[in-house]
Amino acid sequence: MSRSIASRFALAVVSALGVMIAFPPAAALAQGAAAQANRAGPPDVSVLPYPDPPFKGVIGRTTADSKADFPQPVTAPKGAPNVLLILTDDVGFGASSTFGGPIPTPTLDSLAARGLKYNRFNTTALCSPTRAALITGREQHNAHTGIIMERSLGYPGYDSVMPKSAGTIGEILRQNGYNTAWFGKNHNVPGWQSSAAGPFDLWPTGLGFEYFYGFIGGDTDQWDPTVFENTIPVEPKEALTGAARANYNLDADLADKAVHYIQQQHALARDKPFFIYYAPGATHAPHHVPKEWIARFKGQFDQGWDKLREETFERQKKLGIIPENTILTPRPANMPAWDSLDARHKELFAHMAEIYAGFLAYDDANIGRVIDAVKDAGELDNTLVIFIEGDNGGSAEGTLQGTANEIAVIGNGAKESFDYLYSIKDQLGGPLHYNHMPVPWSWAFDAPFQWTKRYASHFGGTRNGMVTSWPARIKDAGGLRQQFHYVTDIMPTILDAAGLKAPEIINGVRQMPLDGVSMAYTWDDSKAKDRRTKQIFEMFGNRAIYQDGWMASTTPLVFAWEPEPKGLAPESFNWELYNLDDDFSQGHDLAKQDPEKLAELNELWWAEAGRNNVLPLNFSPQATVEAVFQKPSLTRGRSHFVYRQGTVRIPEGTAPTVKNTSYRITAKLNVPEQGAEGVIVTQGGRFAGWGLVALNDKPVWVYKNTQQPGDGVRIGGANKLAPGDHVITVDFTYDGKKGQFGKGGAYVLKVDGAEVAKTTIDHTVPFIYSVDETLDVGEDRGTPILEDYADRMPFKYNGGIAEVGIDLEGGNAASPVPDIDGK
């Protein structure tokens, strides 16, 4: 169509619609546009999002006497750096070579060589709280995350629902011209919001991150992970074959995805800065790592944890990581001396440390690939890298002898004999186990400090090595910084580097003030006076307060592997006092010498607790149990559930609770002419769970307490299922009474109403199958419930499943789920 014809056609349409257009004079149009531009003024940096940009062109009668002006996107401040924020998991202060540890971490070493090491940087002592404080810049209780998601309580400091008034660093940078992405772990989604039903505002994509690739929860199987891309579950192994599938490991996959993101971002928008939050699951259990990385450390831990700790201590002093007068705190009395062990115990335990070392070294190498991608893009000089080695201290959840199934042992009280662990030692680190190492290794990797992860009262739980690199700005390459800082200080530091201020309003919500202070003042002056002069600590009732070089700390009552005491009150704890200017490791208690200072700090703790949502303190395991029945729930009170074929990845927290109760599972399905094969319904997987499966044309029911041989039941029909429609049911009659956990019961398997098999079981899983496995209908995601089809995963059912029904006696009542990140 010619231009003249098109113009006449447009005028004809307007005329036909009866529209009359009166054009104002061109001068009036221009004057009006100028006035509009003047009224708009500069954008208000205290409010996000910024207002729509005014039109700055000229509107005349036609485009011939007008001037076009397209709205321009918000751009980052000139010179704003890329930001790569790295947070590893469960790494003690004395683990990495950068901070004097025995495990080589060349990536962290190289960053430190061209940047700064911080030896007085502190976290919260536990996963979810550290991560909430990190991305919001608010004290974790102010971010409503004073505890991990699984143990949330119905109080503002602990309800696990991060408020809109605590906007994240991702949201601020995204709305200021950055591309934003998150890779790895997110342990900040409340359990009742973790399913495909959402809501998704507390998932990374709802917190300002344009792209997310990782897992939701405290940990995941590194060989068979539960992975989400944005909010959609994906199966990263499904498209792989042969060696690539067999050797898949999430830690490497995360690096692959981050490298691709950096390459793509640089190719498409090289002038736009990026913010990447990289949070691998390493080195949280399970310690899953390729065999060749374990082999690198053969024999390197044969000296045992006592000698290893001494060696680390001497290296730390030699490197200047700790002051010369630092005290090496003693081994707790309830941990065995290495020399007290026999040869078989030493052999197994040393191997478990080799696995952990391989895991940390492997993770460091994968992080190195991400750093290399930034370097290859020519962006390393203007990239602010903040690398926090650990979200808390080393984990004490491995018990005194280590474990091959962390969830079962810590979460459900399952028993493992030493002989069993010794018999499978060469399998540890691989896909058949969910392994963790003995507690004394974690204590040794926390050198020179007392205690471990979850103990906010002592630096063994809260002190983590941190490195900052920004070659274009930080010139004291290889320097050490000894100012006292806290995880909330990262967000204001990033804002400072980007030339931005924290907004007062984000997306219509007035923001609470930041609790953090920028650390940028330390970059040019190693002797600069500390700007963080006060910090409260609290976790599971263990408390501490820091002020101007002094620290008061409560004495923990039990270790993580021991039963939580009952009937506690604030006065149940003794207090310790330390002058940190002279006592780097909290090795010399001054409580008796200076009771007045201790009383002063004790009062300050209560004042800060009131100001920061730390109250009420919870010393009651019963309160944690009761909270399970008070939280929002997608299933509570329901007794009948129906699922369709292809419904997968339903998290345990949003699935029917077939624990500690009687139930019936009913599957209506069609058997094809070639016979029935595949998973009908399953929950959990290799390490605990249940499943109804068609194998060799026959129905099979399996229930597993753990992966140990004989710790579960398996029954099946003797006859093959004929082609056509069938109804298969599993009835379970629970032996226990209401309020009794983990009792046994009787199973009956029926086909079309006729009993085909039955059995009994003497105990069942009382609390939790897994933190990452799910309920799946028509296939099996994650690990297999039966090894029979491990090489055919996801082993989709080859016929049609009309529906799977789950009926619970008395309605769904959530099991009191123990936390797997803090116990």
Side-chain angles (χ1 to χ4, degrees):
M1 185 183 293
S2 69
R3 181 174 298 180
S4 60
I5 295 174
S7 299
R8 288 198 299 272
F9 177 75
L11 289 172
V13 171
V14 170
S15 176
L17 292 173
V19 178
M20 298 190 65
I21 302 175
F23 289 102
L29 285 168
Q31 185 178 6
Q36 176 63 33
N38 289 334
R39 281 199 300 271
D44 184 355
V45 296
S46 66
V47 178
L48 291 178
Y50 295 118
D52 292 336
F55 178 72
K56 295 183 179 180
V58 175
I59 299 178
R61 292 185 176 183
T62 70
T63 55
D65 57 358
S66 302
K67 183 180 178 181
D69 175 54
F70 277 96
Q72 297 300 307
V74 174
T75 57
K78 185 178 181 180
N82 304 302
V83 180
L84 176 56
L85 175 60
I86 302 168
L87 178 69
T88 56
D89 203 336
D90 287 4
V91 184
F93 182 83
S96 72
S97 58
T98 313
F99 289 87
I103 304 171
T105 49
T107 299
L108 188 59
D109 290 347
S110 64
L111 285 172
R114 58 176 176 265
L116 302 171
K117 293 190 293 287
Y118 289 78
N119 68 349
R120 295 177 190 258
F121 181 83
N122 300 274
T123 56
T124 71
L126 203 58
C127 170
S128 301
T130 290
R131 293 161 193 270
L134 176 68
I135 64 174
T136 68
R138 278 83 177 188
E139 202 276 343
Q140 63 271 19
H141 298 85
N142 289 332
H144 291 215
T145 315
I147 195 65
I148 63 168
M149 302 290 101
E150 292 82 353
R151 289 189 65 155
S152 57
L153 301 167
Y155 302 97
Y158 302 92
D159 61 31
S160 77
V161 183
M162 287 197 301
K164 299 285 190 289
S165 56
T168 71
I169 184 63
E171 185 68 25
I172 295 172
L173 293 183
R174 183 185 68 83
Q175 295 200 38
N176 275 283
Y178 274 75
N179 281 137
T180 57
W182 181 332
F183 298 91
K185 176 173 174 174
N186 176 16
H187 198 189
N188 293 106
V189 178
W192 61 91
Q193 296 186 16
S194 62
S195 77
F200 298 111
D201 55 324
L202 291 177
W203 287 54
T205 52
L207 296 175
F209 293 87
E210 297 165 320
Y211 181 76
F212 170 64
Y213 185 86
F215 61 97
I216 305 294
D219 62 50
T220 193
D221 190 309
Q222 298 288 318
W223 298 112
D224 293 284
T226 300
V227 176
F228 290 86
E229 187 167 29
N230 300 320
T231 61
I232 306 300
V234 295
E235 306 301 326
K237 294 177 65 173
E238 204 163 78
L240 303 176
T241 59
R245 184 179 183 120
N247 297 328
Y248 172 89
N249 188 285
L250 177 62
D251 199 72
D253 186 21
L254 292 175
D256 290 342
K257 294 298 190 295
V259 167
H260 174 71
Y261 178 88
I262 292 167
Q263 293 170 341
Q264 177 176 268
Q265 195 269 354
H266 184 68
L268 298 176
R270 62 183 304 162
D271 295 327
K272 188 174 185 179
F274 62 75
F275 170 51
I276 293 175
Y277 176 30
Y278 190 84
T283 58
H284 195 295
H287 299 162
H288 284 166
V289 60
K291 286 185 176 181
E292 62 268 22
W293 283 86
I294 299 172
R296 294 183 181 203
F297 294 92
K298 180 67 176 177
Q300 294 189 24
F301 297 93
D302 292 352
Q303 72 274 43
W305 44 67
D306 293 310
K307 184 64 175 177
L308 177 84
R309 188 170 165 90
E310 294 171 3
E311 293 169 350
T312 297
F313 181 66
E314 291 303 320
R315 276 194 304 270
Q316 289 172 328
K317 287 196 295 183
K318 184 177 180 180
L319 292 170
I321 298 297
I322 63 176
E324 276 292 329
N325 68 342
T326 300
I327 298 169
L328 180 61
T329 55
R331 173 173 31 81
N334 58 351
M335 283 187 192
W338 181 260
D339 289 343
S340 70
L341 305 177
D342 61 32
R344 293 173 76 239
H345 280 78
K346 288 180 178 179
E347 180 186 358
L348 173 62
F349 294 170
H351 183 56
M352 288 176 166
E354 293 166 5
I355 296 168
Y356 177 83
F359 197 17
L360 181 58
Y362 180 60
D363 180 58
D364 184 82
N366 284 319
I367 293 172
R369 295 197 292 120
V370 178
I371 302 292
D372 286 344
V374 178
K375 182 179 179 180
D376 292 344
E379 295 289 340
L380 193 56
D381 279 355
N382 196 37
T383 297
L384 171 63
V385 181
I386 299 175
F387 191 146
I388 306 169
E389 188 73 286
D391 56 349
N392 41 245
S395 164
E397 288 124 31
T399 78
L400 287 175
Q401 67 171 7
T403 174
N405 191 334
E406 179 208 18
I407 309 302
V409 171
I410 297 296
N412 296 316
K415 304 299 182 184
E416 294 173 324
S417 70
F418 172 80
D419 287 341
Y420 164 70
L421 291 174
Y422 187 83
S423 71
I424 60 165
K425 64 181 175 63
D426 293 334
Q427 298 176 359
L428 296 176
L432 297 180
H433 302 285
Y434 217 85
N435 52 296
H436 200 335
M437 64 186 174
V439 173
W441 287 122
S442 296
W443 163 77
F445 290 135
D446 279 340
F449 303 115
Q450 303 182 58
W451 296 92
T452 60
K453 168 186 175 179
R454 85 164 254 170
Y455 296 97
S457 52
H458 290 77
F459 291 145
T462 62
R463 181 62 57 84
N464 289 92
M466 196 267 279
V467 166
T468 297
S469 172
W470 183 11
R473 171 64 181 82
I474 298 174
K475 301 304 180 183
D476 184 19
L480 177 69
R481 296 296 182 265
Q482 302 186 66
Q483 290 85 356
F484 189 96
H485 276 285
Y486 194 63
V487 65
T488 52
D489 300 336
I490 296 299
M491 177 169 166
T493 303
I494 294 173
L495 292 176
D496 208 348
L500 297 169
K501 293 184 178 180
E504 297 175 11
I505 296 174
I506 299 179
N507 299 330
V509 179
R510 184 162 295 281
Q511 299 294 290
M512 67 177 78
L514 295 183
D515 293 318
V517 298
S518 172
M519 302 167 65
Y521 74 95
T522 67
W523 292 346
D524 298 321
D525 186 359
S526 64
K527 303 297 183 182
K529 186 177 180 181
D530 290 18
R531 294 187 183 178
R532 171 162 293 288
T533 59
K534 181 170 54 180
Q535 181 59 48
I536 188 172
F537 296 82
E538 186 277 334
M539 192 66 63
F540 297 105
N542 294 299
R543 289 154 281 155
I545 185 76
Y546 168 84
Q547 186 181 44
D548 295 327
W550 288 87
M551 193 161 187
S553 306
T554 57
T555 305
L557 300 180
V558 295
F559 261 104
W561 68 88
E562 299 172 327
E564 294 184 10
K566 299 180 180 179
L568 296 181
E571 54 271 19
S572 302
F573 292 77
N574 291 323
W575 282 82
E576 304 164 4
L577 178 66
Y578 300 101
N579 180 354
L580 299 181
D581 290 339
D582 297 326
D583 183 8
F584 181 85
S585 63
Q586 294 176 301
H588 183 46
D589 181 9
L590 301 174
K592 292 182 179 179
Q593 289 93 316
D594 200 342
E596 292 182 0
K597 186 66 176 180
L598 181 60
E600 172 193 331
L601 290 176
N602 194 321
E603 287 301 312
L604 177 63
W605 188 93
W606 287 104
E608 287 297 292
R611 189 175 71 84
N612 288 286
N613 275 334
V614 180
L615 304 178
L617 293 175
N618 176 32
F619 301 107
S620 169
Q622 184 60 32
T624 303
V625 171
E626 291 171 356
V628 173
F629 302 96
Q630 299 165 352
K631 299 175 187 179
S633 171
L634 298 179
T635 60
R636 185 181 302 120
R638 296 171 60 188
S639 60
H640 180 60
F641 301 81
V642 176
Y643 300 99
R644 309 295 179 182
Q645 189 169 10
T647 301
V648 297
R649 288 303 191 192
I650 303 174
E652 192 166 334
T654 57
T657 304
V658 291
K659 305 184 191 81
N660 313 309
T661 189
S662 299
Y663 57 86
R664 168 176 286 181
I665 297 173
T666 304
K668 299 178 181 179
L669 51 79
N670 179 269
V671 175
E673 289 295 330
Q674 67 269 29
E677 196 80 356
V679 170
I680 300 168
V681 61
T682 183
Q683 184 178 29
R686 174 174 283 139
F687 307 108
W690 54 265
L692 179 60
V693 183
L695 281 174
N696 301 318
D697 302 337
K698 300 175 182 178
V700 173
W701 168 259
V702 61
Y703 187 96
K704 299 173 70 172
N705 287 297
T706 70
Q707 83 278 29
Q708 295 184 55
D711 196 6
V713 297
R714 173 175 175 166
I715 55 176
N719 299 320
K720 292 184 176 182
L721 296 166
D725 294 335
H726 295 279
V727 177
I728 302 176
T729 60
V730 176
D731 285 306
F732 178 66
T733 304
Y734 185 58
D735 285 344
K737 299 177 181 179
K738 185 176 181 180
Q740 293 183 317
F741 301 116
K743 300 297 182 181
Y747 294 103
V748 177
L749 176 64
K750 297 179 181 179
V751 175
D752 299 327
E755 180 181 308
V756 297
K758 63 180 179 180
T759 191
T760 60
I761 190 170
D762 60 5
H763 68 283
T764 55
V765 171
F767 301 124
I768 184 171
Y769 300 126
S770 165
V771 297
D772 63 334
E773 299 267 11
T774 51
L775 175 70
D776 306 308
V777 178
E779 57 191 271
D780 192 353
R781 298 296 185 174
T783 62
I785 192 70
L786 285 172
E787 297 302 325
D788 303 56
Y789 59 84
D791 59 348
R792 291 184 281 171
M793 290 286 284
F795 201 42
K796 294 184 179 182
Y797 181 67
N798 64 341
I801 301 175
E803 66 177 49
V804 171
I806 300 177
D807 292 279
L808 308 177
E809 182 182 85
N812 193 77
S815 294
V817 179
D819 66 272
I820 303 303
D821 212 343
K823 311 306 162 296

